Amino acid sequence: MKIISKDAINQYIGVDIEPTDWFVVKQEQINQFADCTLDHQFIHTDPVKAQNTMFGSTIAHGLLSLSMLPYFAESFGYLLEGAKIGINYGFDKVRFVHPVKVNSRIRVHAKLLEVEEKNPGQYIFKTEIIVEIEGEKKPALMAVWLAMQIVT
């Protein structure tokens, strides 16, 4: 994460952040996510049955791609100088655009849209997120992610 001062926030708004490194989504991770969420639909966990679908292989859960954002944020995120904690505040919008097939490589493109001081010392960062799938025209997902940073 890049540390920025409150006075410099405006210079980062609207600027495309360098994409993150690629990440390979493997079957083991998909299976572990299925176990955590109790979503064992065959399209995610049964490679043999999934071969006979329109996808030709298993696909990651859309929510798995979404849940990877904190990992990717370590590369693209901004941290306010003096922030003691950052917490997930939610999403204004999430769209699962294209499935992520097993062994696909994904990465995130991000752009800081806005920073609002909600209460004294509480800053809401609004970030546009696009999860790209290598070799695909459509992204895996698009979202507007909200995160709160608390500065004391």
Side-chain angles (χ1 to χ4, degrees):
M1 283 208 180
K2 181 174 184 165
I3 298 174
I4 62 172
S5 72
K6 288 185 271 185
D7 296 334
I9 288 172
N10 287 337
Q11 73 185 35
Y12 296 98
I13 294 176
V15 176
D16 288 322
I17 302 167
E18 184 175 331
T20 65
D21 289 338
W22 290 104
F23 180 88
V24 178
V25 179
K26 297 187 177 186
Q27 189 63 52
E28 180 182 7
Q29 182 184 23
I30 295 170
N31 292 345
Q32 290 170 344
F33 191 83
D35 289 343
C36 287
T37 61
L38 305 178
D39 180 359
H40 292 95
Q41 185 183 26
F42 80 92
I43 194 64
H44 305 301
T45 60
D46 189 334
V48 174
K49 280 177 82 173
Q51 281 181 348
N52 297 321
T53 67
M54 60 195 267
F55 307 114
S57 70
T58 55
I59 59 172
H61 305 71
L63 292 172
L64 170 58
S65 299
L66 188 67
S67 73
M68 292 292 299
L69 294 184
Y71 164 77
F72 285 117
E74 289 297 320
S75 297
F76 71 74
Y78 298 120
L79 183 63
L80 276 181
E81 207 169 54
K84 299 299 179 204
I85 191 168
I87 55 176
N88 197 349
Y89 199 72
F91 294 87
D92 274 354
K93 183 177 182 177
V94 176
R95 295 291 181 265
F96 301 109
V97 181
H98 196 275
V100 177
K101 292 181 181 183
V102 67
N103 297 321
S104 292
R105 290 179 7 136
I106 61 173
R107 68 178 176 181
V108 169
H109 297 262
K111 181 189 310 182
L112 184 61
L113 299 176
E114 178 182 317
V115 178
E116 173 192 356
E117 188 172 15
K118 186 123 178 115
N119 293 306
Q122 296 179 352
Y123 295 84
I124 303 291
F125 281 62
K126 183 185 234 180
T127 306
E128 176 186 83
I129 302 292
I130 298 171
V131 177
E132 175 188 8
I133 308 167
E134 186 177 43
E136 296 289 345
K137 291 180 183 176
K138 293 182 179 180
L141 72 87
M142 300 170 72
V144 176
W145 188 18
L146 305 174
M148 179 183 285
Q149 294 185 28
I150 300 172
V151 178
T152 56

